[in-house]
């Protein structure tokens, strides 16, 4: 009976510690893009749109830069080539092409966007007094 109790305690201890020879870390299943988007003066651009396109399949991965201008695209397909497009209102879009990724790779790409003057169309506002609402 004592041998069964000892065996049971050892099995519980092995389960709690993890069986010998098993890996606790997960193997990478893809690759990733990360980086920072700035303007021509080096100021970060929060809210810029970042899109990575896996050219052969047309698969798109997208995100928006955080408050510090940084972005991450995780678990993207391995291989390529990839095209990265970054855009932000008031700036010329940036495009990087021909990027290849390996399994587990974290590809860092920092993008600088250049100011671009944007002319907005004319806005006309018309008003008229309504007798029913105004009481006249």
């Amino acid at each position: 009976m004592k041998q069964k109790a000892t065996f049971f305690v050892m099995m519980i201890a092995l389960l709690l510690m993890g069986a010998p020879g098993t890996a606790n870390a997960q193997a990478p299943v893809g690759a990733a893009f990360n980086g920072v988007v700035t303007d021509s003066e080096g100021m970060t651009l929060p809210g810029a749109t970042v899109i990575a396109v896996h050219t052969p399949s047309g698969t798109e991965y997208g995100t928006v830069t955080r408050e510090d201008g940084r972005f991450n695209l995780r678990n993207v397909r391995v291989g390529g080539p990839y095209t990265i497009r970054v855009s932000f209102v008031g700036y010329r879009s940036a495009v990087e092409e021909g990027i290849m990724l390996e399994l587990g790779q974290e590809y860092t790409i920092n993008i600088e966007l250049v100011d671009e003057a944007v002319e907005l169309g004319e806005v006309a506002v018309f008003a008229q007094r309504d007798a029913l609402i105004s009481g006249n």
Side-chain angles (χ1 to χ4, degrees):
M1 185 72 169
K2 188 174 181 178
Q3 286 180 332
K4 286 184 181 179
T6 305
F7 177 76
F8 182 71
V9 170
M10 287 177 53
M11 291 304 290
I12 296 294
L14 284 175
L15 286 173
L16 291 175
M17 292 176 12
T22 60
N24 290 328
Q26 292 182 347
V29 293
F33 287 104
N34 60 59
V36 180
V37 178
T38 58
D39 65 10
S40 55
E41 296 177 2
M43 300 297 292
T44 59
L45 295 174
T49 302
V50 180
I51 297 179
V53 179
H54 183 255
T55 307
S57 67
T59 305
E60 293 187 4
Y61 303 90
T63 191
V64 177
T65 57
R66 297 185 297 271
E67 190 174 308
D68 60 359
R70 296 185 181 281
F71 69 91
N72 300 94
L73 288 169
R74 299 265 179 234
N75 296 321
V76 300
R77 182 178 268 186
V78 175
Y82 275 91
T83 299
I84 306 287
R85 289 188 179 90
V86 181
S87 60
F88 192 72
V89 176
Y91 293 85
R92 187 176 315 127
S93 294
V95 177
E96 295 284 334
E97 297 178 315
I99 301 168
M100 301 295 291
L101 298 176
E102 296 179 12
L103 182 63
Q105 181 179 6
E106 290 208 18
Y107 189 94
T108 300
I109 181 167
N110 297 320
I111 303 287
E112 180 182 304
L113 297 181
V114 179
D115 295 1
E116 180 176 64
V118 177
E119 187 174 323
L120 299 177
E122 181 179 319
V123 176
V125 179
F126 298 96
Q128 131 182 3
R129 184 175 219 132
D130 188 309
L132 184 61
I133 294 176
S134 65
N136 292 335

